Amino acid sequence: MEKITKDHSLSGSQDILAENIQKLKEIFPEVFSEGRVDFEKLQLLLGDLITPNDELYGLNWWGKNEAIKESMKRSLGTLRPDKESSKNWEKTENIYIEGDNLEVLKLLQKSYNGKIKMIYIDPPYNTGKDFVYKDNYKDNLKNYLEQTDQVDSEGVKQSTNTKEDGRYHSNWLNMMYPRLRLSRNLLKDDGVILISIDDNEVDNLKKLCDEIFGETNFISNLIWQKKTGASDSSTISTITESIIVYCKDINFIENTFSRNFESFDLTRYRNKDEHFELRGPYYTDNLDRGGLQYSDSLNFGIECPDGTLSFPNGRKEFQNDGWIWKWSKSKVQWARENNFIEFKKSDNKNSGWSVYYKNYLNVDNENNQIVRSAPHKNLITSILNASSSSDMKKLFDERVFQYTKPVDLIKLLIKYVNFKNNEIILDFFSGSGTTAHSVMQLNSEDELNRKHIQVQLPEITDEKSEAFKSGYKTITEIGKERIRRAGDTIFAEKKEELDQLKAKASLIQTDEEKAKIQELEEIIAKLDIGFKVFKLDSSNIEAWDTEMPETVQGIQTRLEESRNHLKKGRTEEDLLYELLLKQGLLLTSQIEERSIAGARVYSISHGELFICMNAPITMEVIEGIGNWGKESIAEAIVDLKPVLVLKDEAFGKDDAFKTNAELRLKNEFGFAKVNTL
Ligand SMILES: C[S@@+](CC[C@H](N)C(=O)[O-])C[C@H]1O[C@@H](n2cnc3c(N)ncnc32)[C@H](O)[C@@H]1O
C-alpha cells in the first residue's frame, strides 16, 4: 500500500519533466549513466541533426530558459469547488475556474490531456497599458494568492507591463511561453488553437507558436476587420487585428475545419443518416430527368428493393420517351453501394417505385466523394468590434468590461471547427466570458452540445471603473454574472420561440410543424446554461503543501492539521476534487456516496476512484468497498481498474489488517491500487 507523500506523483499535477526523461530513457537508454544524461553521447547518436548553438534559427529573449523550465514544473495546488457561485451544479458539464491560468493549466494536465477540441484565447496584447500577470517561478502559487490581492499605493495594478520597461517584450513572452506549451498538451490530436492578437506582438506570437506547435501545424493568420476607420493615427490607420490559428497535428485534421456553405440554402438539408458525421445532412432529388439530352446509355433498369426493374420516368421497361437517369450505370452502381440512392414506394409510377439520389451537404455528387463547398477565407469583414458593446448592453446597464470580443466573432470561429457532440472548448483568458456566451448561443442554434471551460484571474477592478462602482470587485465576478445572464436570456428566447411556434401552428399540426416543434424542444432540453465554479488554491492536504509556516504557532497548527490531513476551513468535498484531479479524472466526473458499515465512501467516475476518509475502519468496510468496486467493474463498458484512497490511520497500528485488506482488494475484488494519505 503506497502512501501519497508530497513527492508522490499523485500529490501534484502531471510531472512533465519526469515523463520526458522516461521517454528519453526508452529511446536512448545508453545515454543514461548513474541517472544522469551523457549529453555528448546523445549528440553522437543524433549525428548531423545537431546544430552549433550560435547558428541556431529561432526566437530568443531574456528569461526563455526559465520559462521553459517553468512549463515543466508541477503544481501542488488544487481547484476547490464553489457550489454557491455555480449554476445548475448537479447537471452542468461546463466549468468556470478562478485562478492564474498557468497554475490552472498545470492542474488540468492529467485530467484533460488530449481532451480539448478547440482553444480560443484573447490574451493581453501587450499594448503598454494592459495587465500582464507577473509569474514568480519560485513559488507561483503563493505569488498568485498574494498578487490577486495587490495594488500599489496609487491603486495601480503592479502587473501593468509598460513600454518603458527594458524587458517589455521579454516579459510578455515569458508570460505566454509556458501557458501555450501546456495548452498544447490539452488539445486532441485533431484539435486547434486560435489566438487573438494585434500588431504589438503578432510577430513574436507567430514565432513562439512555430516553436511550440511546429511550423508545419500553422493553419492561418485570420485577419479580422474590426472597424471601418480610425482617426487616431497620423500615418496609416489600423483597422484590423489577427487571429493566429495552429493545429495540434496536421496529420489528423482532415475533418477539423468546416467549409463555407454560405451560398447554400441550408434549410433544404433536413435528413440525416448513418453517414452524417462525414457527409453532413442531406435532401433527396429525383434521379430521372425529362429535359436533358437523351442517350440510350442513360436509359436502363435499376433494381428496386422488391426486385422490380424501374426505368426513367417510372417505366417498367425500356422505351425512348426522352427520359433518362442523371447518372451512368457505373455511377448508379457505385452510388447504391455507397448509400447515395433512396427508393420510395410510389403509386404514380408504373414500376411502383420512385428512385432518388441523396444530396449531402459535404459531398459533391458530380465528383463522388469530393467536398464541394469552398474553404473559409482568412479575412473576416462582416463583424465589427462595436457589436460587442451591444452584446453587453443587452445584459448590463453599466459598461462593466472594456475588452469584450463580439459574440458573433467567437461564434464564427467556433463554426470554423467541425465539432462532435460533447467536445470541449477552452478559453484560459476568458475576461467577461464571451466564449462561454458564444458556445451557449451556438448550442441553442444547432443540434450540438459543445462544452466550455473558462479560466480567469480574479483580477481586481479599478476603483474608478463602472464595474467597481456597480459592485463587481473582480473580473471573475463580471465573467460569472455575464454567463449567468447570457444563459438565462438565451433560454428565455428559445422558450419564447417555441411558444410562438406552437401558437402559430394549425389545430392539427402538419408534419412540418410537428418536426419544427420537436426540433426546438430537443434543443431546449439539451441546452446547458450552467457552470461549475472552481477556485485555485493551495493543497487541502497539509503534508502536500509547499510552504512551511514561518511562526512557531503556524508550525504547531500545521502539525495538528497534518494529523487530520485536512487544512482548517477545507471540506471533504474539497479533498474529493483534489484527489480526483490528481488522479486524472474530469472535474465533471460523477460522484456517488454510500454509507458502508458506518463509514462514508465515495465512488468517483463510476468506480474509477474510491475514497474513504474514516479512521479507523473495519474489514466490513473494506469488503463493502470491494463489492462496490466489483459491481462497478461488472457494469463498466471499458476495462475498469478501481483505485482506492484511504487514510493512513484507517488501519491503526494493525499491519496484518493493512496487508490483508490490500491483498483482498486487489485479488478478490479487482482493485488496481490502494493508496493512503
Ligand atoms: C483581453 S481580456 C479577454 C477578453 C475576453 N476575450 C472577452 O471577450 O471578454 C484578457 C483577460 O485575461 C485575463 N488574464 C490575464 N492574465 C491572466 C492569467 N495569468 N490567468 C488568467 N487570466 C488572466 C485578464 O484579467 C483579462 O480579463
Side-chain angles (χ1 to χ4, degrees):
M1 206 173 284
E2 256 182 76
K3 183 169 166 130
I4 309 175
T5 57
K6 190 172 160 184
D7 300 320
H8 195 281
S9 64
L10 293 178
S11 65
S13 63
Q14 195 174 11
D15 193 340
I16 296 174
L17 184 62
E19 284 179 16
N20 284 347
I21 293 173
Q22 187 53 36
K23 280 182 210 151
L24 194 65
K25 264 189 192 157
E26 280 160 23
I27 314 173
F28 301 115
E30 61 273 51
V31 305
F32 284 84
S33 150
E34 294 181 330
R36 324 275 310 168
V37 176
D38 179 344
F39 204 65
E40 276 178 24
K41 204 185 248 176
L42 184 61
Q43 276 185 318
L44 274 176
L45 290 171
L46 293 174
D48 290 346
L49 262 184
I50 303 283
T51 312
N53 238 346
D54 52 0
E55 289 172 21
L56 267 186
Y57 165 82
L59 177 67
N60 273 309
W61 67 89
W62 172 85
K64 182 175 179 182
N65 286 346
E66 284 306 308
I68 296 177
K69 280 192 211 155
E70 181 53 32
S71 68
M72 288 189 284
K73 276 194 211 151
R74 46 181 217 147
S75 169
L76 290 173
T78 190
L79 300 177
R80 298 176 60 196
D82 174 7
K83 286 191 175 169
E84 225 163 87
S85 60
S86 302
K87 180 168 170 174
N88 304 345
W89 175 275
E90 296 303 332
K91 276 200 180 152
T92 186
E93 301 210 75
N94 300 318
I95 292 171
Y96 189 96
I97 304 174
E98 293 191 22
D100 159 41
N101 50 19
L102 179 58
E103 284 298 311
V104 173
L105 285 168
K106 285 182 181 181
L107 287 169
L108 297 182
Q109 292 292 303
K110 279 185 192 163
S111 307
Y112 289 87
N113 193 304
K115 299 233 165 58
I116 307 287
K117 179 58 169 259
M118 170 176 168
I119 297 177
Y120 168 74
I121 50 168
D122 179 16
Y125 287 0
N126 211 17
T127 56
K129 290 185 215 112
D130 50 1
F131 167 85
V132 176
Y133 183 79
K134 283 205 171 62
D135 297 307
N136 172 337
Y137 294 158
K138 263 212 201 114
D139 191 343
N140 205 36
L141 188 60
K142 184 173 169 226
N143 174 54
Y144 160 74
L145 296 171
E146 282 171 8
Q147 222 188 103
T148 41
D149 242 3
Q150 262 184 20
V151 274
D152 68 15
S153 52
E154 268 130 61
V156 175
K157 284 167 200 146
Q158 292 189 350
S159 292
T160 305
N161 192 32
T162 61
K163 286 195 171 162
E164 289 71 48
D165 190 314
R167 287 175 175 151
Y168 168 67
H169 289 293
S170 290
N171 289 343
W172 188 84
L173 284 161
N174 283 329
M175 188 276 293
M176 290 300 285
Y177 181 91
R179 289 167 172 82
L180 287 178
R181 209 172 149 160
L182 289 167
S183 71
R184 182 179 180 274
N185 302 335
L186 302 183
L187 283 177
K188 287 185 147 187
D189 285 341
D190 64 350
V192 279
I193 180 164
L194 295 91
I195 310 170
S196 278
I197 201 71
D198 74 2
D199 290 348
N200 281 291
E201 294 293 352
V202 67
D203 298 348
N204 284 332
L205 179 67
K206 170 83 178 38
K207 287 255 166 6
L208 195 63
C209 288
D210 279 346
E211 184 170 326
I212 292 170
F213 295 95
E215 242 177 291
T216 47
N217 294 319
F218 170 71
I219 301 290
S220 179
N221 176 359
L222 294 176
I223 304 297
W224 171 42
Q225 187 195 339
K226 58 179 182 174
K227 46 190 170 184
T228 48
S231 50
D232 57 355
S233 170
S234 57
T235 52
I236 291 175
S237 68
T238 303
I239 56 167
T240 63
E241 59 177 63
S242 296
I243 299 153
I244 303 280
V245 186
Y246 279 79
C247 64
K248 165 100 172 244
D249 186 338
I250 198 84
N251 298 308
F252 288 89
I253 59 152
E254 202 183 341
N255 296 315
T256 294
F257 289 94
S258 65
R259 313 283 292 186
N260 187 356
F261 294 110
E262 256 169 26
S263 55
F264 287 78
D265 175 7
L266 292 176
T267 55
R268 299 182 74 184
Y269 297 83
R270 301 192 71 87
N271 305 321
K272 279 183 206 168
D273 62 14
E274 67 273 27
H275 304 289
F276 175 68
E277 216 162 79
L278 194 66
R279 301 181 188 173
Y282 71 92
Y283 68 88
T284 52
D285 199 353
N286 290 313
L287 186 63
D288 53 359
R289 289 286 184 276
L292 300 180
Q293 194 182 359
Y294 179 80
S295 156
D296 262 357
S297 66
L298 294 172
N299 189 354
F300 52 88
I302 295 179
E303 194 182 325
C304 299
D306 64 355
T308 323
L309 279 188
S310 183
F311 287 78
N313 202 15
R315 283 181 274 106
K316 274 177 98 167
E317 60 242 347
F318 179 85
Q319 184 191 324
N320 181 354
D321 59 356
W323 280 69
I324 51 166
W325 296 122
K326 231 173 100 71
W327 291 348
S328 67
K329 210 169 188 171
S330 60
K331 175 138 183 189
V332 168
Q333 193 180 340
W334 173 89
R336 292 195 69 163
E337 284 161 9
N338 291 284
N339 208 355
F340 279 80
I341 301 282
E342 207 167 276
F343 295 94
K344 287 182 196 163
K345 276 270 188 203
S346 169
D347 293 339
N348 305 329
K349 308 280 179 187
N350 286 338
S351 65
W353 290 96
S354 287
V355 185
Y356 295 90
Y357 67 98
K358 295 180 182 176
N359 268 294
Y360 291 98
L361 186 61
N362 299 350
V363 180
D364 180 353
N365 279 339
E366 298 314 312
N367 299 302
N368 298 350
Q369 283 282 22
I370 298 164
V371 175
R372 62 171 148 190
S373 53
H376 294 286
K377 297 188 186 115
N378 80 327
L379 182 64
I380 301 172
T381 54
S382 53
I383 302 156
L384 295 180
N385 201 22
S387 71
S388 62
S389 314
S390 46
D391 292 337
M392 288 298 267
K393 262 192 205 146
K394 282 185 207 149
L395 305 174
F396 294 91
D397 292 334
E398 322 78 24
R399 188 153 187 241
V400 289
F401 195 70
Q402 283 182 30
Y403 305 105
T404 328
K405 285 279 180 287
V407 171
D408 281 345
L409 177 72
I410 309 303
K411 263 174 68 185
L412 186 73
L413 299 180
I414 300 173
K415 279 204 259 182
Y416 280 5
V417 176
N418 275 325
F419 273 83
K420 293 196 197 90
N421 213 7
N422 297 329
E423 283 185 320
I424 311 172
I425 305 178
L426 165 70
D427 181 343
F428 54 89
F429 284 99
S430 84
S432 64
T434 310
T435 303
H437 186 161
S438 311
V439 169
M440 292 187 292
Q441 186 71 53
L442 209 54
N443 286 350
S444 81
E445 291 167 15
D446 64 22
E447 76 287 348
L448 288 176
N449 189 17
R450 305 165 190 84
K451 296 173 188 171
H452 67 81
I453 302 178
Q454 310 295 308
V455 185
Q456 171 59 37
L457 194 81
E459 183 190 332
I460 30 191
T461 50
D462 194 313
E463 278 184 28
K464 292 179 212 101
S465 67
E466 282 186 50
F468 187 90
K469 288 178 195 153
S470 314
Y472 300 104
K473 301 285 181 290
T474 59
I475 296 183
T476 43
E477 283 171 28
I478 301 171
K480 285 182 290 183
E481 188 56 23
R482 194 251 179 105
I483 305 172
R484 278 186 209 110
R485 293 187 188 188
D488 287 342
T489 309
I490 292 166
F491 196 79
E493 279 170 2
K494 281 284 133 181
K495 284 283 250 196
E496 163 101 26
E497 201 181 320
L498 179 64
D499 289 344
Q500 280 182 6
L501 211 60
K502 281 183 175 165
K504 265 202 250 151
S506 337
L507 210 53
I508 299 165
Q509 289 171 359
T510 64
D511 284 350
E512 202 182 333
E513 284 167 343
K514 266 190 209 151
K516 273 192 171 166
I517 288 172
Q518 193 188 340
E519 195 177 291
L520 209 51
E521 280 172 343
E522 278 167 13
I523 285 182
I524 291 172
K526 62 122 179 127
L527 199 57
D528 181 358
I529 54 169
F531 54 94
K532 282 180 155 80
V533 177
F534 292 89
K535 288 184 173 162
L536 174 67
D537 213 328
S538 60
S539 172
N540 299 297
I541 299 165
E542 248 340 308
W544 295 358
D545 207 358
T546 35
E547 271 291 291
M548 203 54 193
E550 277 155 17
T551 60
V552 178
Q553 175 72 39
I555 295 174
Q556 257 171 7
T557 325
R558 159 83 50 114
L559 284 175
E560 245 166 63
E561 287 176 344
S562 289
R563 245 173 276 129
N564 298 332
H565 294 281
L566 273 190
K567 276 187 195 154
K568 277 217 176 76
R570 307 295 177 97
T571 63
E572 197 156 272
E573 190 156 54
D574 288 333
L575 181 67
L576 291 187
Y577 275 96
E578 175 156 6
L579 292 176
L580 79 81
L581 192 65
K582 290 177 178 174
Q583 288 276 348
L585 301 177
L586 299 186
L587 285 168
T588 48
S589 298
Q590 197 219 36
I591 300 182
E592 258 181 281
E593 186 186 326
R594 279 188 198 173
S595 171
I596 299 179
R600 204 169 32 241
V601 182
Y602 299 94
S603 157
I604 295 165
S605 188
H606 308 281
E608 283 196 60
L609 174 65
F610 287 89
I611 297 172
C612 174
M613 285 295 113
N614 283 64
I617 55 166
T618 58
M619 194 48 114
E620 208 185 336
V621 176
I622 293 289
E623 278 166 4
I625 298 175
N627 281 323
W628 196 359
K630 223 171 161 181
E631 229 175 82
S632 315
I633 294 171
E635 280 165 14
I637 1 172
V638 287
D639 192 18
L640 185 70
K641 298 246 178 277
V643 171
L644 169 64
V645 179
L646 298 164
K647 267 190 174 176
D648 211 31
E649 302 81 67
F651 305 96
K653 294 203 164 37
D654 191 346
D655 284 346
F657 172 31
K658 192 173 181 178
T659 316
N660 198 9
E662 183 175 16
L663 279 176
R664 287 195 65 189
L665 283 163
K666 287 187 174 167
N667 300 340
E668 206 175 307
F669 299 108
F671 277 65
K673 262 195 260 169
V674 185
N675 289 131
T676 59
L677 295 182

